[in-house]
């Protein structure tokens, strides 16, 4: 494929790594760990991988050398900038340990392991993908590794290729499954190690030991670039309120980080909406009040950031969706037979009084979407709801009422945007390029150290890269028990926005000013060259979390 | 306002200028000009500003010095990256001629001149805005300067402030009006000069002497960045066709330039659709064929670029819209009285048979939009039509039919995007920063040379900036007569995509390969620092036009 000028220059970039793994390194074992909750349950489910110590790599004079090791790598789930650098880090790490080591890439995600689809990643291939975005080097996929048959199919191909370790690059669920696989392979004494790597632009895979998931830095910078441009447009044209929805269904980290970078007038945080038990009308009223306050100052423009998952964070709507899913599943044949223009009435008649009232209060476009557009599993497709447009419409209606009552004196015209795919495959920022490459190097060191059931860890990330701390965290230490599809399962605790954490508290202390004033900041696009103050800055979230 | 790290560093950038105006310069007059068409009519309408010579600035040893000059500047129409640099170029130019010169900015567009709203632009203000995007320094607006009363109100404020010249920064219509104003002020012997500057991200203000309008370079780079990221996502996930609409109603330059930068599978060019007299179904079939061809190769993903103005380029729909506008205007009261669910039938009954048939063939969402959502002038609001979604839906329906017939064997899932506001206020690329600043310097030189009715011109722009040619072009030389709102008017000829020009011909020679293969290019974001090959590249359009 033809390369852009930027790709050609960027291929030369040498990622920065922690000084402790740059040349020689030695592994230091810390204290035994416990899971974050439900220790007895987790211990019972992971008898072989529970309680292992945190490990740290320390600078040493002797370079790590060993017999050749064959490793398989898997990209799991949605794209995140930097995946290619994790892979090049593993590759370089393995080759430095022994030039005869081999790296295999399983194609199209975890399914490639089960279906035995793979490619050997040679130097030529790796060099094509250094410092680039995307997961196209081997593709990704959403197959979940959960069944023993899948594990055994994986074992078969690993044995055939002489693979001693698998690296699974994925989000919380994929890393949970990596640990289940590690436990199974250890119990079977198969000799195959499994190492996880923390990936997701959503930023919800983090904890005391994992400071951030890779991709979050780059993706939020791309979104903040275009949000800043839109803000500057709003402030130049002075005639539109821009409603901007941002990817991230289960947590609002992306939205919060973009807010910290760009200082829009309104930012909705799903976790707060849930904690305060707000209704859709509460949210709409909150926005409408800000619009009216700015209008009173002659400012008939603004920007609103909305997390993709907002609708599901509203407790009343969450309950409605849950009942809808159950009710439609229970009455599927009957519901399918109902005439199209009677379907909404059918739904109302079959819901509890509370939920029927909420359902009726929604704009028809949304109630139709909830009732009529279901996925192959029969669930309502919440992700199809254009929340940004829904809010803009509802705010508009409220303001029209207020206008009649004399409570609103301005104009209200809107534009709406949704950003997600725009950022998942951007070329990694210097931070993500360095962080990912380091994670890959660390994964190779965990492998040569014989570790399994660990997640590669690089910490101290608000400092320059040479001061970063490299090591591994037992995945079981991040787990608790949660209900999934009606069953209790061991899972890595998802990190939602902490309403008592630094990032949210800083935002909360500023938002009233930001709402009424025009305090926009225009970050501009990611710079891969130039002054370090521009090219190497981390996310505001990370800075505020580690002040 | 708080500044981002990039803004702080970027403030230091010193724009590059043509060597011929860097120190001393002298003006050389060329041959008399003629308008591009309708010479007799244009000459009659512009007796004082017709036929003036093209002028060029040539390097000289003596710096240009003169008595202080007061100048007013106006931003007109939609935002384009670099407007602030035009203003800083004018400011620096005037101050170099005489430090006592003053620059006034009229607020909120041409309306500021009429309403006497202005600010003196001091060094402190100018320094805050160097190399930044947006028009927020003085705001912009869409008031058209067309009436003698407006001209006289402008004269009044110019005389009061001692303003000897106005610089109007705008698109083709604004520059046409600048020339009408120049003619009027000259006829009145008011002593006030008017100079135009070529602005528009749409790229449709260009001709033999004006190589490009400013903002086109930056805006298309922002769009190409996110298109490239989406392409990489499509090629990683391999499950979606992305339909991407790009701003630009009256010409398809933006879409064509983005296609040249990113090589998507399908690119629609409005001018070609019109020239080939294609129907909506022709366009849908063209896309569906490409989807089916890729599906046959196992590639169930792709990217489609759609110019915002596509719908209006389809001759049959253009005629339908024209008849709809006339018919609804003639029957407004009667139509308003028709019940909502009868309105579409009313429209069908009152259109000619041909247009009624086309109207009925459209998806209901579109026919409703055309019939029911009209702007304050009673016209249908074509810009509200979500063409990208319309095409995705119609292609999906066609493929469903083909599937039953065995002509399509793949999957077809879509995502859609619209990019416009994301690019209009980006910080100007090095090219736009240099080009705009140079245009501003040139404007100040045209003023001190006593010129009026000229557009500032900087040519040879595919060469390094020191080799650029600086000068002025009589605006009348770009004019012809066109019908506007039923009347013949003198206007600057709009530059549509030339189907025989270098950019389109190159695209046409490649598009069959691009459609079937995955030949994506990922340009990445604008770089303001780093290697010149990355930071200083011009648009592909400009390169292919000036090979």
């Amino acid at each position: 494929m033809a390369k852009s000028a930027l790709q050609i220059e960027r291929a030369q970039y040498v990622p920065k790594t922690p000084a402790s793994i740059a040349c020689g390194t030695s592994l230091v074992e810390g204290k035994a760990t416990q899971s974050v909750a439900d220790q007895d349950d987790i211990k019972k489910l992971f008898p072989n991988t529970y309680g292992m110590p945190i490990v740290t790599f320390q600078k040493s004079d002797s370079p790590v050398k060993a017999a050749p090791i064959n490793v398989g790598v898997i990209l799991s789930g949605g794209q995140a900038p930097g995946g290619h650098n994790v892979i090049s880090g593993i590759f370089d790490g393995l080759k430095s340990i022994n030039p005869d080591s081999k790296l295999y890439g399983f194609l199209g995600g975890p399914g490639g392991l089960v279906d035995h689809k793979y490619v050997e990643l040679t130097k030529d291939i790796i060099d094509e993908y250094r410092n680039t975005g995307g997961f196209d080097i081997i593709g990704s996929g959403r197959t979940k590794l959960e069944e023993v048959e899948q594990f055994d199919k994986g074992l078969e191909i690993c044995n055939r290729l002489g693979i001693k370790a698998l690296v699974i690059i994925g989000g919380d669920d994929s890393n949970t499954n990596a640990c289940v696989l590690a436990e199974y392979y250890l119990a079977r004494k198969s000799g195959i190690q499994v190492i996880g790597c923390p990936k997701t632009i959503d930023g919800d895979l983090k904890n005391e030991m994992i400071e951030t998931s890779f991709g979050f830095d780059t993706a939020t910078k791309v979104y903040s670039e275009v949000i800043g441009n839109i803000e500057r447009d709003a402030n130049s044209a002075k005639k539109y309120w821009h409603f901007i929805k941002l990817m991230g269904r289960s947590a609002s980290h992306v939205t919060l980080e973009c807010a910290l970078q760009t200082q829009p007038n309104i930012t909705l945080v799903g976790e707060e909406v849930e904690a305060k038990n707000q209704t859709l009308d509460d949210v709409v009223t909150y926005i409408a009040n800000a619009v009216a306050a700015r209008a009173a100052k002659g400012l008939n423009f603004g920007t609103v950031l909305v997390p993709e998952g907002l609708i599901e964070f509203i407790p009343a709507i969450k309950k409605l969706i849950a009942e809808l899913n159950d009710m439609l599943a229970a009455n599927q044949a009957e519901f399918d037979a109902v005439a199209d223009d009677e379907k909404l009435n059918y739904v109302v008649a079959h819901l509890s009084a509370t939920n029927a009232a909420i359902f009726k209060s929604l704009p028809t476009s949304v109630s139709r979407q909830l009732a009529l557009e279901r996925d192959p599993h029969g669930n309502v497709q919440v992700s199809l709801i254009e929340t940004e447009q829904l809010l803009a419409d509802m705010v508009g209606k409220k303001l029209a009422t207020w206008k009649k009552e004399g409570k609103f004196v301005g104009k209200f015209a809107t534009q709406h945007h949704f950003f997600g795919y725009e950022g998942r495959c951007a070329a990694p920022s210097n931070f993500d390029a360095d962080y990912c490459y380091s994670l890959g190097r660390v994964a190779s060191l965990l492998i040569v150290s014989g570790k399994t059931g660990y997640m590669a860890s690089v910490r101290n990330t608000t400092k320059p890269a040479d001061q970063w701390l490299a090591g591994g965290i037992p995945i079981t230490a991040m787990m608790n028990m949660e209900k999934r599809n009606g069953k209790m399962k061991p899972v890595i605790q998802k990190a939602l926005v902490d309403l008592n954490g630094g990032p949210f508290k800083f935002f909360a202390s500023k938002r009233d000013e930001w709402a009424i004033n025009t305090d926009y900041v225009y970050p501009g696009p990611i710079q891969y060259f130039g002054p370090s103050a521009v090219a190497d800055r981390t996310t505001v979230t990370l800075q505020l979390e580690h002040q």
Side-chain angles (χ1 to χ4, degrees), chain A:
Chain A
M1 283 169 81
K3 286 201 173 68
S4 68
L6 177 65
Q7 272 182 288
I8 292 165
E9 297 290 342
R10 186 68 177 160
Q12 312 303 321
Y13 180 73
V14 178
K16 302 185 278 291
T17 54
S20 60
I21 61 164
C23 306
T25 190
S26 62
L27 182 143
V28 178
E29 299 211 342
K31 277 189 279 190
T33 56
Q34 292 219 314
S35 62
V36 284
D38 311 310
Q39 289 84 3
D40 292 343
D41 291 323
I42 305 289
K43 189 173 183 175
K44 207 173 292 169
L45 289 163
F46 296 91
N48 296 288
T49 53
Y50 187 88
M52 302 185 297
I54 288 173
V55 299
T56 313
F57 291 105
Q58 289 195 350
K59 201 172 174 175
S60 125
D61 290 334
S62 52
V64 180
K65 297 288 172 193
I69 316 170
N70 290 1
V71 170
V73 63
I74 296 169
L75 291 164
S76 180
Q79 281 72 245
H84 291 161
N85 269 31
V86 178
I87 294 177
S88 58
I90 301 171
F91 180 86
D92 290 350
L94 292 176
K95 292 290 182 184
S96 79
I97 290 163
N98 189 308
D100 292 331
S101 297
K102 282 185 181 171
L103 181 62
Y104 293 95
F106 289 99
L107 301 176
L113 179 72
V114 179
D115 301 334
H116 298 184
K117 292 188 175 157
Y118 63 89
V119 66
E120 189 192 334
L121 293 168
T122 58
K123 182 171 183 305
D124 286 351
I125 297 175
I126 293 288
D127 285 347
E128 280 289 293
Y129 288 89
R130 288 181 193 273
N131 309 313
T132 61
F135 276 9
D136 39 312
I137 187 171
I138 49 174
S140 184
R142 296 191 181 271
T143 301
K144 287 189 188 304
L145 294 179
E146 291 176 320
E147 309 294 333
V148 166
E149 296 74 39
Q150 297 174 312
F151 303 166
D152 289 338
K153 290 293 287 180
L155 196 51
E156 199 181 305
I157 188 67
C158 286
N159 286 335
R160 195 186 310 158
L161 296 173
I163 288 175
K164 292 288 161 203
L166 292 171
V167 181
I168 297 180
I169 301 168
D172 50 347
D173 282 345
S174 303
N175 275 283
T176 295
N177 294 340
C179 194
V180 173
L181 192 63
E183 176 68 29
Y184 180 82
Y185 285 168
L186 203 53
R188 286 277 306 264
K189 297 192 169 54
S190 70
I192 296 173
Q193 304 157 239
V194 185
I195 300 294
C197 267
K199 172 229 73 173
T200 169
I201 65 158
D202 295 343
D204 55 6
L205 169 48
K206 64 178 171 187
N207 50 55
E208 243 179 87
M209 302 309 290
I210 301 293
E211 294 181 353
T212 187
S213 55
F214 79 76
F216 179 70
D217 185 272
T218 305
T220 53
K221 279 175 179 154
V222 175
Y223 305 145
S224 295
E225 172 202 353
V226 289
I227 293 166
N229 289 352
I230 289 169
E231 286 181 334
R232 192 137 209 172
D233 204 298
N235 192 27
S236 297
K238 300 189 192 297
K239 64 178 179 181
Y240 289 120
W241 274 84
H242 291 266
F243 283 69
I244 304 168
K245 185 171 72 174
L246 296 166
M247 206 172 248
R249 271 185 68 184
S250 49
S252 307
H253 298 290
V254 168
T255 299
L256 181 57
E257 170 63 25
C258 292
L260 293 167
Q261 286 195 37
T262 63
Q263 304 187 179
N265 302 102
I266 302 286
T267 302
L268 304 173
V269 174
E271 288 84 342
E272 184 184 31
V273 168
E274 185 170 40
K276 292 189 171 167
N277 202 16
Q278 291 181 331
T279 64
L280 186 53
D281 186 62
D282 290 338
V283 173
V284 168
T285 305
Y286 171 62
I287 301 171
N289 273 325
V291 173
R294 283 177 64 82
K297 292 175 65 180
L299 305 171
N300 289 300
F301 65 92
T303 43
V304 181
L305 300 193
V306 184
E308 189 185 12
L310 180 78
I311 279 288
E312 291 169 282
F313 273 110
I314 297 174
I317 300 206
K318 200 173 181 177
K319 282 178 207 150
L320 165 65
I321 290 170
E323 190 184 351
L324 255 179
N325 278 337
D326 291 349
M327 186 276 285
L328 291 174
N331 303 293
Q332 192 164 338
E334 192 177 290
F335 181 70
D336 289 347
V338 171
D340 240 35
D341 53 359
E342 278 303 313
K343 278 188 153 69
L344 293 191
N345 292 333
Y346 178 95
V347 167
V348 170
H350 287 75
L351 287 175
S352 64
T354 315
N355 283 334
I358 290 164
F359 187 78
K360 280 199 286 184
S361 76
L362 296 171
T364 317
S365 62
V366 176
S367 52
R368 285 186 65 85
Q369 203 144 36
L370 287 178
L372 306 182
E373 302 203 8
R374 285 174 292 149
D375 71 12
H377 310 288
N379 293 318
V380 303
Q381 295 198 64
V382 184
S383 66
L384 290 182
I385 296 175
E386 293 185 321
T387 321
E388 70 284 19
Q389 198 165 358
L390 166 69
L391 289 174
D393 290 351
M394 293 181 78
V395 170
K397 284 198 181 117
K398 189 167 286 276
L399 290 170
T401 316
W402 287 3
K403 195 156 211 167
K404 283 183 199 149
E405 298 167 1
K407 285 163 63 182
F408 172 61
V409 293
K411 288 176 193 168
F412 182 67
T414 62
Q415 296 287 342
H416 56 93
H417 315 261
F418 170 43
F419 300 123
Y421 298 99
E422 291 76 2
R424 305 197 313 175
C425 286
S429 63
N430 284 354
F431 176 84
D432 269 329
D434 298 345
Y435 183 59
C436 289
Y437 184 80
S438 298
L439 285 173
R441 295 294 298 242
V442 168
S444 73
L445 290 169
L446 290 169
I447 291 168
V448 74
S449 310
K451 297 295 169 192
T452 188
Y454 275 77
M455 196 184 290
S457 152
V458 170
R459 293 185 296 134
N460 210 24
T461 51
T462 53
K463 294 288 187 314
D466 62 343
Q467 298 170 40
W468 289 356
L469 305 175
I473 316 293
I475 297 176
T476 52
M478 307 171 199
M479 286 190 181
N480 66 356
M481 300 297 291
E482 287 179 24
K483 203 170 187 179
R484 296 282 170 94
N485 298 320
K487 276 189 195 167
M488 292 307 285
K489 291 220 165 179
V491 294
I492 295 177
Q493 212 171 35
K494 202 182 270 293
L496 301 185
V497 168
D498 178 1
L499 302 183
N500 291 312
F504 183 82
K505 279 169 86 172
F506 179 80
F507 157 73
S509 75
K510 293 287 182 183
R511 65 174 150 189
D512 291 345
E513 288 168 46
W514 295 354
I516 191 89
N517 300 325
T518 304
D519 288 338
Y520 305 152
V521 175
Y522 314 122
I526 295 174
Q527 297 297 297
Y528 300 99
F529 311 100
S532 179
V534 179
D536 294 320
R537 69 195 166 91
T538 61
T539 59
V540 184
T541 299
L542 211 47
Q543 289 161 34
L544 292 173
E545 280 174 345
H546 298 273
Q547 261 176 344

